[in-house]
Amino acid sequence: MRFSVALALALAAAATPAAAQEHDAQLWLTANASTELREGLKLELETNQRFSDDSGELYESQYLAALTVQAATGVTLTGGLNRVVRPRDGRVQNTEWRPRQQIGFAIAKLGSGQLAGRVRLEQRFRSDDSETGHRVRPEITYTLPVYRDVKLRLAHESYFNLNSTGFQDRGHERMRNWAIATVPFTKNLSAQLGYMNQYRFNDEDPDVMEHGLMTALYVTF
């Protein structure tokens, strides 16, 4: 039962528009550290370094600080701030401050796995534009234990821009589908390895499909 559910969700997550006109291979390197400040309140710090075959270099660095509170059974509320730096040819092309507000919630047990959802709101303040971008990012995930403490996570996320600025157009901007395995090494240390397929809708320009190898190291204190 659990493997049939996982296979069905994996096929659904892999479904992307067939007419992608451009492709790019990427590598994402993530390091995450978190600690429980008190019962039900967690502090999280994260850095994410993204490399692109198309640009041939590091194209984006992200630095996040966030607080998550357990609001109810299966429900979390998160507030955070993400700093985004975009280099180009060894120089900073632009920077962005990105406050976020987020609610996460359990949906249902499916077989031996857990179906969950998340809705994230973001405001975007970029150094090369005076306008503020607003967007919402809903996500649905299915987490399944596959072998001992190893878990497989299947997910779909869409980006919906709520307004138009000089750096974003209103509407459905992109979608992400991924499959990630989490492997714990110790009680406080785990690693993730997975594949992401991201499809960007570019209106009059060719759409872009990105294939990402995602690696992450998680430490808790």
Side-chain angles (χ1 to χ4, degrees):
M1 170 65 179
R2 66 178 185 177
F3 291 107
S4 62
V5 171
L7 178 60
L9 287 172
L11 292 175
T16 54
Q21 299 179 28
E22 293 185 1
H23 291 259
D24 184 26
Q26 299 189 2
L27 172 65
W28 290 15
L29 304 177
T30 299
N32 181 291
S34 63
T35 187
E36 192 171 47
L37 300 178
R38 59 175 175 80
E39 186 177 359
L41 180 63
K42 182 178 74 171
L43 171 65
E44 179 181 10
L45 301 174
E46 181 175 287
T47 175
N48 187 306
Q49 307 300 313
R50 303 178 179 182
F51 299 83
S52 166
D53 182 63
D54 184 50
S55 66
E57 61 182 351
L58 173 71
Y59 76 92
E60 189 170 277
S61 298
Q62 297 197 11
Y63 307 93
L64 169 71
L67 286 172
T68 297
V69 60
Q70 188 81 31
T73 302
V75 179
T76 59
L77 299 175
T78 300
L81 182 62
N82 198 15
R83 173 68 166 168
V84 182
V85 180
R86 298 183 181 88
R88 192 71 174 180
D89 298 326
R91 297 184 177 181
V92 175
Q93 186 179 32
N94 61 68
T95 60
E96 181 177 336
W97 288 104
R98 195 180 291 172
R100 67 169 57 167
Q101 307 83 43
Q102 176 178 303
I103 181 171
F105 46 90
I107 297 176
K109 289 282 290 185
L110 288 179
S112 58
Q114 177 67 51
L115 190 66
R118 184 214 73 197
V119 178
R120 177 182 298 168
L121 295 173
E122 290 183 329
Q123 300 79 47
R124 307 178 64 193
F125 302 90
R126 280 181 45 154
S127 61
D128 55 356
D129 197 291
S130 60
E131 297 179 285
T132 302
H134 300 270
R135 68 185 179 193
V136 60
R137 296 169 51 178
E139 178 189 77
I140 187 167
T141 64
Y142 181 65
T143 304
L144 177 72
V146 291
Y147 179 73
R148 294 186 179 178
D149 293 327
V150 177
K151 294 182 179 180
L152 176 65
R153 181 170 177 261
L154 307 174
H156 169 84
E157 180 183 22
S158 279
Y159 284 55
F160 294 96
N161 295 331
L162 303 179
N163 66 329
S164 295
T165 69
F167 53 85
Q168 70 174 37
D169 295 321
R170 184 175 181 178
H172 191 186
E173 175 197 339
R174 77 182 86 164
M175 61 180 178
R176 287 178 180 170
N177 302 300
W178 61 78
I180 296 177
T182 300
V183 182
F185 297 125
T186 67
K187 179 182 177 181
N188 296 344
L189 179 65
S190 63
Q192 289 186 345
L193 179 65
Y195 165 75
M196 177 200 68
N197 182 287
Q198 179 165 262
Y199 193 96
R200 297 178 183 265
F201 303 98
N202 285 330
D203 296 327
E204 297 179 357
D205 296 326
D207 292 346
V208 176
M209 181 181 286
E210 298 165 344
H211 308 272
L213 175 63
M214 306 179 69
T215 66
L217 191 65
Y218 286 81
V219 181
T220 59
F221 299 95

